[in-house]
Structures are given as structure tokens and as C-alpha cells.
Amino acid sequence: MSRRILVWVNWLGAGLLSWVVLIAAFQTNKRFSGETWISSGVLLLLALGLLVILNGLRLWLARLSNRTTRWVLIGLLVLIGLIQLYVALNFVDGTQADSYMVRNQAINLAQGNHHWQDYFQLYPNNVNFTLFEAGLIKLFLGLGIKTPWEFLNILRFLWLDTALFSGLYLIKKFHRWQPGAIGLTLAWLCYTPLYFYGLVAYTDALVLPIAINVLALMWAATATTGWRHWGALVLSWLLLALGVVMKNNLVVFWIALAIGVLFAAVQRRLKWSLSIEWLLGSIAVIFLSMWVMTGIASHEGYQKAPDKATPVTSWMAIGLNENSFGKYTTKDFMSVKQANTAAAKKQVAANLIHSRLKAMSAVDLGIHVSNKMGVFFAKGDFDATTQIAQWVKVPKWYMNRQRSLHFWLLLSTQCWYLMFLIGSIYLLLSRKGQQLVVSVFALMILGLTFFHVGLWEVSARYALPLLPILMILGVIGWSTWPGMALAPRQRKLVSLLAVAGTLFCLAVTLQFSKDQQSVMAILDFQRNGSYAASSTTQLIKPTQQVTNHIPFNMATNQIRVYPTSTTGKVTVILKNGRHELARRTGNPAQVVTLAYPRTVGSNLSLTIINRGKTPVSYYTALANFSQLDGTITSGQRSYLQHSLNLLHAPANLTSNRAIIVMLLGELLLVVLSSRLLPKPQRD
């Protein structure tokens, strides 16, 4: 009976992922219209081509000797390490929204200032991660390093890579080392969201490897004895506790693991004593970790303010907003925040929940759940490309081609994502997937989906902890699905279909690129200071002037500033060194944009002079680290919000050459892969 229940769980997970495939294939371009998504027809053809290529790769890998396989794997791992090191040293996130607030507060704590921003009374869920970040920053400051962000990037990538090695361990335990090990490593190399999230200083990267690491440790604990057994067991408890205290929604992973452990005992795969041992130990360590983190927070000066904190029901109310598909909205947040007491906030949230449920019929609720599923699961990049809005450090080649690069990154990522989903579905439905670990993965997918889609606010990045799970299931499914044999005539047919599909993709993509022409590139956008429903501004009194230096060494010809005043008289001046590039005088609402000759500046300075008789104000960021080069400062400083832009002649989304090379390259790989398929056996 217990085995049948687990099979049902797998089928339910496969059904959910089948729904996700439809959403990811057909509705992404409708749900995320602000991004450059190609038509579903092109996406499906390219994804199909990737499946053919991966199938050919599997057949090629099956012919390799163990020694050759080992060297290919080592080569891929070294390549991953080198790329990650390059990215970590050359790309530094300028932070935005939550990550900006966390970094600012963490620097405060690292410098011995125990005053907490009001933001953390509204969002107490970010306190633990802030304490963790503060500890790391304090360590680097003690070593005399005032720009530790590259080192933190490296640590973040090393942490993310633990999921890769845990995945390789699980693949070996599934007896799918060849070709599964190289398949997973290749996916890890090519899956670009991992590089983006390796740069974002927030909880997403921290919790991403938790599920895979804990499962690998639990499996290792059952296969060893003595100190190795206890070491793996205790480490699994600590990692699970880390996930729960940093992101409370990961409690659904603990529930999935607890169910798996109990079923393992019922099926006599584990001794009851070991199952109870793990359950009690994990509960004890989670509660102990919460108690310890509360004590550390109190020691660092944090005190909860119940009348300011946002009640959990407010996120449920936001999740029921049909107009936003259950995503965060400032209007919903403010309607709860403006209530004066904790009881009043809970009442406002309860009223919102009641009114929204009452307004929805059963059909409306079904449509709303479907829309939330789209937000949660549609994007294979899990919102990675939108998590970094400004850079402290970034190569010129990236900034000058970012629109084109984002287009190709989104497209390739979505193809890989569909492959993971299809492989996962196959494994969940096959007899080879009827293992307890697979069912635990299915429970994790179902649990986190139910939490966010069914109960909570939703966002694409909230599904990020499921990425390693889908990668593992997808790669194991890919390595086990049945082979296919083609006769010579069928090979020619596949080649002809591939050529026809490529010509279709070429025509559509060339036209799409032309339709997405742009005339401006935003190269530097300092927009921190306007989050959590509060904005920081700088007041400029009559005759006073404010100057911000902007070290920037890329070509620009336009700058924008962001005033909050609409009356008065100001002069805005932009210089490059001593050379004046532009000057405008008028009221703040009129003097927003300055145009100037195309300039590669390295010493830009922006000055605002108040020439009127009344004060004027501008949006700013108040930060303990430079918004320009990332250096940690001894005190809080003010930085004017601005954007540096480059106006240019109409340019396609991506070059025709890039489109032709990419699509013909895939066609060549598809044709070569089809040639690797065996011929049918004759009776």
C-alpha cells in the first residue's frame, strides 16, 4: 500500500509538471510582455532540436571508456570553475530592493552600529540573513578589505556548486553515472541563471542547494556507520535548519523529508530507530537554530515591533489579487502597512482575503490559480535577468550587448528548462522512477507549489529551490529514456524536417529582431532608495549645490535625474573632468534630461544648483557603501538617483549574423546527432 501511495505521488508530480510544460512552452511571452520572448513555435522547435542533440550526446557518451568519461567530466568541472571565477571577479551587483536594504544594514552591523532600519520591522524574515551577511563582511573588514564583493561572489559560487557535487553523488547512487554525470555537469555549465544568482547577495543563492545537499547527506548516512554516519546525519540537520531559518517556506522541504523517512521505515528500507532519530534530531536542531538566531539578533540590537510588522495574512491577501496574478503590489502592501496596530493590520488583511474570495467564482479562482502557476513556473530563468538592475562592476562587452545577450540567454535557458521538465515527467511516470528519493523530490515540488500558488504571494524566483531538483530528475530521465533507431530514409526525413524548421525559425527570428528595434541603451541606473514604500530624498536649499562624482568609462550621451519637486529653479551641470558636457536651467520638472555629445567618460560629475527661493528635493540613496564603486564607507552618504544612457540609430534586438550562426549551429548539431542514432536491427 505504501508503495502505491508513492507511485500516486509521482504521478501527481508528473501531472503538475505536464501543466508546467504547457505554460512554459505556450504562455511565457504572454505573461512577461516586458521582456523579449520569441514566439512559442520557435521556442518549441529549438527545444525539440535540443532534445535531439542531447539524445545524440547520450549515445556518444555511451561509447566512451570510463577513463575518457572521467577526463571529459574533469574538463567540464574545470571549465565551470574558470567561468565562475571570471564572472565573480568581473561582475559585481550594485544591489536593489531587498538586497540593497540587507547589504546596507549588514555593513552597519559589521561596523558596530546596532541601529536597525525600519525596513526590518516590516520584513523580520530578512533579519537572519542580514546577520549572516554582516558576519562575513566583518571578517573581510578585519582583513582590511573594503570591497569584499568579489570574494563574496566566489564564496557564493562555491556554495552553489555543492548542489552539483551532491547531484553527481545521487546520480551515481541511481546507477546513471554514464551518461548522467556529464549530462548534469554540462547542464550546470550552460544554465545561465546559476551565474546570475551567484552574483545576487540575497537568500536565493543560499537556499538553492539545500534540498539536494540534505538528501545526499541522508543517503550517505544510511550507507555508512560510525563517525561518518553521525557526521552526515548532523550535517543534514544543520543544513535543513539553515534553510528554514533563512527562508521559512523551506519548512515544506522538511515535511517532504519527514514523510519520506517515515515511508522508508514502513517499507523497511530504514530501521524505525534511525527514522525517529532523524526526525527528532532535525526538529531539535531547527528549533535550536531559531533560538540561537533570535539571541544573536537581540544581541545585535534588533527588537521586534509587532505594530509595525507585516502580518503573514497580508501575503495571503496579496496572493489573491487577480489583477497582479498574485504578485507583490505596493498598493496592497500599503493598505496593510498604513494600519496603526498589529490587530488593525491583521483585520485589513483579513478583510482583503474575505472580499477577494467572495468576489471570485469557482471558475475565477481556477483561472487565478492558473495565472499564479504561470508566474511561479513559466520562466526557466526564475527571474534571474531582472534581479540585477545596476552594476558596481561589469565588462564593457556585456553592457554594450545586454539586450541581445538577454534575448539569447532567455531563449536557451527556456529550452534547457523544457528539457528538464520533460525528463522529470518521464522519470516520474516510469518504473525506473519508483524510488523513494524520486518521490521525496515530487513531494518537494508539490509542497512548494501548493504553498506559493495555493496560499501565498508568488514570484518566479520563489521557485528557485526547485531548480536543482528538476535538473537532477531531468538528467536522470534523459539518461534512461528509451533509445530510437532510424533507417537511412528516416534519417534523411529528420534532416529535411530540421532544415525546414531552421528556415522557419530564421524567418521568424529575423523579423522579430527587426520588430524589437531600440534607439536607447540604459547603461547605468542608480535607483536605490525607493523601496518598501519609503523613498529617501535630498533637500537642496536656495543657493546650495550638490555634486556627485560618477566614475564611468563607457560611451554615453544622455543623463537623467529624478526630482521630487515640481517648482523652483535649478541648474543641472554634467562635466567630464573639467570639461563641461551639458548645462540646463529651469524648474526641476523641466530639467530632468541632459543630452550631450557622445562621450567616453571616466570622471563624470553631476552638479545640481538651487537658483530659486524655495528648497527643492531629489531622489537619492543613503548608503554605507559607494553606489558607484562598491567601497564600504565609514559613514552613511547620499547618492543622487540617475541613469546614464546612450541614444543611437535604430538597432535590431540582435544582429542577423548572430541569428544565422546560432540557428545554423543548432541545425548542424541536430543533423550530426541524428546520424549517431543506430540503424534498426534486422530479424
Side-chain angles (χ1 to χ4, degrees):
M1 180 62 183
S2 60
R3 185 178 182 85
R4 186 175 299 174
I5 291 173
L6 292 178
V7 170
W8 290 343
V9 168
N10 286 7
W11 288 358
L12 188 58
L16 175 71
L17 294 182
S18 298
W19 186 4
V20 175
V21 167
L22 295 176
I23 292 171
F26 294 105
Q27 296 192 15
T28 305
N29 56 339
K30 297 178 182 178
R31 297 179 189 277
F32 301 96
S33 56
E35 295 176 343
T36 47
W37 290 96
I38 197 70
S39 69
S40 297
V42 172
L43 175 62
L44 285 172
L45 285 171
L46 294 178
L48 182 60
L50 178 62
L51 287 173
V52 174
I53 293 168
L54 290 174
N55 194 47
L57 175 66
R58 185 184 63 156
L59 294 171
W60 177 72
L61 292 174
R63 301 174 185 176
L64 299 181
S65 66
N66 290 336
R67 183 180 180 183
T68 304
T69 298
R70 189 183 309 116
W71 281 110
V72 171
L73 181 61
I74 291 172
L76 288 174
L77 290 173
V78 170
L79 184 58
I80 289 172
L82 291 174
I83 293 174
Q84 288 180 346
L85 183 62
Y86 174 82
V87 173
L89 295 178
N90 291 278
F91 291 79
V92 176
D93 177 21
T95 71
Q96 65 171 336
D98 293 302
S99 61
Y100 164 73
M101 306 299 286
V102 165
R103 178 172 289 182
N104 228 5
Q105 184 63 49
I107 293 171
N108 249 348
L109 297 175
Q111 293 178 330
N113 184 349
H114 291 180
H115 171 73
W116 287 77
Q117 304 167 68
D118 288 344
Y119 164 87
F120 292 94
Q121 307 298 342
L122 298 171
Y123 297 99
N125 56 301
N126 283 328
V127 169
N128 289 338
F129 181 73
T130 302
L131 294 168
F132 175 76
E133 188 85 353
L136 293 174
I137 292 173
K138 187 174 183 179
L139 174 65
F140 285 108
L141 286 177
L143 296 173
I145 301 172
K146 292 191 175 182
T147 53
W149 319 124
E150 292 94 339
F151 298 100
L152 291 175
N153 285 346
I154 293 171
L155 291 176
R156 212 173 291 116
F157 277 120
L158 289 173
W159 171 244
L160 287 175
D161 287 341
T162 61
L164 171 59
F165 288 101
S166 292
L168 292 174
Y169 175 81
L170 292 174
I171 283 175
K172 191 170 184 178
K173 289 295 183 180
F174 270 95
H175 305 291
R176 295 296 164 191
W177 186 255
Q178 192 170 355
I182 290 179
L184 178 62
T185 309
L186 182 64
W188 202 265
L189 171 69
C190 297
Y191 209 66
T192 51
L194 294 168
Y195 297 99
F196 279 93
Y197 275 108
L199 300 171
V200 179
Y202 197 49
T203 52
D204 302 294
L206 187 64
V207 301
L208 183 142
I210 295 292
I212 296 294
N213 288 347
V214 171
L215 262 175
L217 286 166
M218 289 173 66
W219 199 326
T222 62
T224 55
T225 58
W227 68 269
R228 289 185 179 86
H229 163 79
W230 283 103
L233 209 60
V234 171
L235 197 51
S236 73
W237 296 338
L238 290 172
L239 287 183
L240 192 56
L242 174 70
V244 173
V245 298
M246 292 299 174
K247 215 170 184 67
N248 298 148
N249 62 354
L250 290 198
V251 72
V252 300
F253 284 6
W254 177 86
I255 294 171
L257 289 166
I259 293 172
V261 166
L262 291 174
F263 268 93
V266 169
Q267 295 178 350
R268 297 182 179 178
R269 300 184 186 184
L270 283 181
K271 294 179 180 179
W272 273 103
S273 58
L274 181 58
S275 298
I276 299 301
E277 184 181 273
W278 187 87
L279 287 171
L280 294 179
S282 63
I283 293 171
V285 173
I286 287 173
F287 279 102
L288 179 63
S289 300
M290 289 179 175
W291 178 74
V292 168
M293 293 306 297
T294 301
I296 294 174
S298 179
H299 179 266
E300 293 295 326
Y302 179 76
Q303 297 294 328
K304 290 184 178 180
D307 287 337
K308 291 184 179 180
T310 309
V312 294
T313 48
S314 67
W315 307 116
M316 298 171 70
I318 290 172
L320 288 169
N321 189 332
E322 291 182 89
N323 295 326
S324 68
F325 295 163
K327 294 185 289 186
Y328 173 91
T329 64
T330 302
K331 182 179 179 181
D332 277 351
F333 175 79
M334 286 299 295
S335 66
V336 177
K337 178 182 180 290
Q338 288 170 350
N340 295 325
T341 65
K345 292 179 191 294
K346 291 177 182 177
Q347 188 60 51
V348 171
N351 291 341
L352 273 175
I353 292 171
H354 178 74
S355 63
R356 284 173 176 173
L357 285 174
K358 189 176 179 180
M360 281 191 281
S361 65
V363 174
D364 292 333
L365 183 60
I367 293 172
H368 182 56
V369 168
S370 177
N371 287 330
K372 289 183 74 175
M373 275 285 291
V375 174
F376 193 60
F377 269 128
K379 290 181 67 178
D381 81 325
F382 299 90
D383 263 350
T385 54
T386 63
Q387 291 305 302
I388 303 178
Q390 63 190 74
W391 299 94
V392 165
K393 184 178 180 182
V394 64
K396 287 184 180 180
W397 63 262
Y398 177 85
M399 288 302 293
N400 291 333
R401 299 172 178 83
Q402 57 182 323
R403 284 189 79 239
S404 176
L405 288 171
H406 279 196
F407 167 72
W408 289 112
L409 293 179
L410 285 170
L411 186 56
S412 63
T413 297
Q414 202 71 4
C415 291
W416 276 101
Y417 183 50
L418 287 169
M419 192 282 288
F420 296 148
L421 291 170
I422 293 168
S424 299
I425 293 166
Y426 174 77
L427 182 64
L428 289 169
L429 293 177
S430 68
R431 292 185 62 84
K432 295 173 183 176
Q434 293 179 14
Q435 294 194 38
L436 186 59
V437 173
V438 174
S439 298
V440 171
F441 279 149
L443 283 170
M444 289 178 172
I445 294 169
L446 292 167
L448 199 63
T449 303
F450 174 75
F451 181 84
H452 279 290
V453 176
L455 297 177
W456 215 251
E457 173 211 359
V458 71
S459 172
R461 68 180 181 84
Y462 296 161
L464 189 66
L466 298 179
L467 173 58
I469 295 172
L470 294 173
M471 292 179 82
I472 296 291
L473 293 179
V475 168
I476 295 175
W478 161 72
S479 65
T480 58
W481 66 41
M484 181 174 59
L486 291 179
R489 184 174 297 177
Q490 293 171 320
R491 293 174 194 270
K492 291 180 181 179
L493 179 61
V494 169
S495 298
L496 287 173
L497 290 174
V499 170
T502 301
L503 291 175
F504 170 79
C505 291
L506 270 172
V508 172
T509 309
L510 287 169
Q511 184 60 46
F512 178 78
S513 175
K514 187 177 180 180
D515 292 342
Q516 295 288 326
Q517 281 188 340
S518 67
V519 294
M520 184 178 78
I522 301 174
L523 299 177
D524 182 52
F525 190 4
Q526 198 302 95
R527 66 179 185 184
N528 278 333
S530 303
Y531 183 62
S534 63
S535 299
T536 54
T537 59
Q538 181 163 1
L539 195 68
I540 306 175
K541 298 177 182 179
T543 71
Q544 184 183 2
Q545 72 177 40
V546 172
T547 299
N548 269 193
H549 296 283
I550 310 172
F552 195 76
N553 59 358
M554 281 183 267
T556 62
N557 55 17
Q558 185 193 79
I559 191 169
R560 291 177 61 88
V561 290
Y562 298 92
T564 63
S565 303
T566 56
T567 59
K569 186 178 181 181
V570 296
T571 297
V572 181
I573 306 168
L574 183 72
K575 292 183 178 181
N576 184 20
R578 295 183 179 180
H579 175 62
E580 185 174 299
L581 297 175
R583 174 190 292 257
R584 282 189 67 185
T585 299
N587 72 55
Q590 294 172 330
V591 187
V592 171
T593 304
L594 273 71
Y596 51 92
R598 181 186 174 106
T599 302
V600 180
S602 58
N603 189 23
L604 298 176
S605 62
L606 176 67
T607 300
I608 300 176
I609 306 172
N610 187 348
R611 299 192 181 279
K613 297 180 179 181
T614 58
V616 296
S617 62
Y618 283 77
Y619 284 114
T620 61
L622 293 175
N624 297 303
F625 63 102
S626 170
Q627 297 292 282
L628 307 173
D629 62 13
T631 304
I632 293 175
T633 54
S634 56
Q636 199 172 64
R637 300 181 187 180
S638 178
Y639 301 87
L640 288 167
Q641 289 190 6
H642 68 269
S643 66
L644 280 168
N645 312 314
L646 178 64
L647 301 179
H648 51 72
N652 291 356
L653 171 62
T654 186
S655 69
N656 292 345
R657 177 186 293 180
I659 295 170
I660 293 169
V661 169
M662 291 290 187
L663 296 182
L664 290 184
E666 180 169 22
L667 172 62
L668 177 62
L669 291 174
V670 167
V671 172
L672 290 175
S673 298
S674 67
R675 297 292 174 184
L676 289 173
L677 295 175
K679 296 180 181 179
Q681 295 287 333
R682 292 187 177 181
D683 295 333

